[in-house]
Amino acid sequence: MDRKNFLSTLGLSSASLLAAACLGSCSKETVASAPTVDFTIDISQSQYAALTAPGGYVYSNGIIIATTSTGQIIAVSQTCTHQGATVVFQNTNTDFYCPRHGALFSASGAVTAGPASSNLKQYTVTVNGNLVRVHG
Ligand code: FES
């Protein structure tokens, strides 16, 4: 094998190795499925008081629970489906944002911007006075 062929072979091998390594860890979604839950929180308690104001949000049982600008309480899995970071609520656009790589999810948990490709699980919220039941 001459020098040109040797370098060509080496270049292909390196590229192949890098591609294989990235396919194995860069794009693989390893997040476990969101849990099935059924719990009730009392927003008159201090740890949930953020929900009494538009834009406020809290975390409980792996779920992010948020109050929209119209006063609706919504809930989705707090775990980003890309690589498992914790999402935050953005009241301005009524969406959920993952600060690790920038994925965006709608109020119902649907992916609106990658790199995530799977939706956040949406939970049903039932409000009765100060009691907020989250289930699904
Ligand atoms: S962990 Fe990558 S976008 Fe959320």
Side-chain angles (χ1 to χ4, degrees), residues 61-79:
N61 297 292
I63 315 296
I64 181 171
I65 308 160
T67 301
T68 69
S69 58
T70 61
Q72 181 185 11
I73 298 179
I74 58 178
V76 298
S77 170
Q78 73 181 47
T79 306

Side-chain angles (χ1 to χ4, degrees), residues 14-63:
S14 297
S16 298
L17 287 173
L18 286 172
C22 191
L23 288 173
S25 63
C26 296
S27 63
K28 185 176 180 181
E29 295 192 10
T30 57
V31 178
S33 61
T36 297
V37 300
D38 190 348
F39 62 92
T40 299
I41 60 174
D42 183 344
I43 62 172
S44 68
Q45 295 179 341
S46 61
Q47 70 263 40
Y48 303 118
L51 292 175
T52 61
Y57 63 93
V58 299
Y59 300 98
S60 182
N61 297 292
I63 315 296

Side-chain angles (χ1 to χ4, degrees), residues 26 31 79-87 97-105 113-117 120:
C26 296
V31 178
T79 306
C80 180
T81 56
H82 179 227
Q83 290 183 353
T86 299
V87 300
Y97 171 72
C98 179
R100 186 172 297 171
H101 306 112
L104 282 170
F105 304 88
S117 59
L120 298 174

Side-chain angles (χ1 to χ4, degrees), residues 102-114:
L104 282 170
F105 304 88
S106 71
S108 65
V111 175
T112 57

